[in-house]
Amino acid sequence: MNIQMEKTQTEKNPTAQAPETMRPAMSPRYGITEDEHAYTVTAYVPGVSPADVETTIDGEKLVVHAHRNWTAPESWTPVHREIAQADYRLVLGLDRRVNRDGVKAQLTQGVLKLTLPKAEELKPRKIEIAG
Amino acid sequence: MNLLRYSPSRSYLPSFNHGSLLDELDRLFDAGFPSFREPARFGTFPVDVYHDQNSVTVRAELPGFRKEDLQANVADDVLTISGHVRTGNDQDQNAPKTETSIERSVALPENLDYQKIAAAYENGVLTITLPKREEAKPAAIAIEVK
C-alpha cells in the first residue's frame, strides 16, 4: 500500500502560525514504515533532548517541533562548522486511517519514533455470514 | 617508510588550515542546502570543531548509534570518528541486513594532550574534548624591570 501521508506545506504564512520562537526550522530526515497495527515515522533529530520535542495533532495535521537547545559557550571559537543551527519541524497530513488517540512518541539518541496506530475500522476483519 | 602525512581521500578534511576554494564551496552547499547531503546514517555526517584557551572540542551528529558502534581514534594529529551502521531489523526477517561504516577525519593542531581526551554521546551527538597541553596554554610572562 502506498502511504499517502504527504508532507504538507508548512510555513506558507508564518505570521498566522505565530511560532513561539523565531528560530529557523528545517525538515528532519524521516521515513515511514507500516505494519498491520500502526504506521511508524522515524525522524533523525540529533542534538535534541526529549524535553525539547513538541508533538501536536491539529485537525488533519501532525506537527513535530524539535528544538535544538545546545549553544556553544561564548569562549569557544568555531574553527569549522557543518552542524545546522536550526530547529527541526516536520508536518505530516493525517487522514482517517490513523487513530489519533493512540499516537506515541519516543526519542532515543536523536532518533524520534512516532507510532501512529491504524484506525480500528481499517484493520482486517472477518465477516460472519448471518443466519 | 612512512614520510608522507596521512591524508584521507575524502573530499573534505576539516582542518585548522584553510581548505581549498572547492572544499569551501562544498561546505557552503552542505550547510546551506542540507537536503543535498546524504541521509544522516548512510554516507557522511556533519562535524563542528571549536577551540578555546584550554581545549579543542569536536562535535559530530550521529543519531541512533549504540555506544559500542561508535569509535574515535587519534593518530598523527588526525582524529577519526567512525560509526558502524547496521540496517535491517529483528522484526522483519526479510529486510536486507547490511553492515557498513561511516567515517570522518579532523586534522588537529599539534599542541594537544592525547592522554586526557574525553568523549560523550548525548542526544545523538558525539562530543570529543581534547585538552591542550599545559605548555601550549597562554601564559602571562612576568616582566622584570631593572
Side-chain angles (χ1 to χ4, degrees), chain A residues 13 31 46 73 75 84-85 88 92 97 101 106 112 121 130:
Chain A
N13 191 350
S75 61
Q85 293 187 75
Y88 302 96
L92 296 170
R97 288 175 295 175
D101 297 331
Q106 197 191 359
L112 179 69
E121 65 259 32

Side-chain angles (χ1 to χ4, degrees), chain B residues 2-68:
Chain B
N2 188 17
L3 290 175
L4 287 177
R5 190 182 169 88
Y6 168 65
S7 102
S9 61
R10 310 211 149 258
S11 64
Y12 193 67
L13 179 68
S15 162
F16 279 73
N17 310 313
H18 288 288
S20 73
L21 180 62
L22 208 61
D23 290 338
E24 287 298 312
L25 277 174
D26 274 353
R27 191 165 72 84
L28 180 71
F29 268 80
D30 282 352
F33 307 99
S35 56
F36 286 12
R37 285 197 310 242
E38 296 281 295
R41 281 171 66 86
F42 308 96
T44 184
F45 51 90
V47 169
D48 274 5
V49 183
Y50 298 90
H51 79 104
D52 70 0
Q53 258 188 3
N54 302 315
S55 56
V56 169
T57 306
V58 178
R59 298 180 85 235
E61 282 194 338
L62 289 156
F65 281 83
R66 292 183 299 183
K67 192 182 154 212
E68 60 265 33

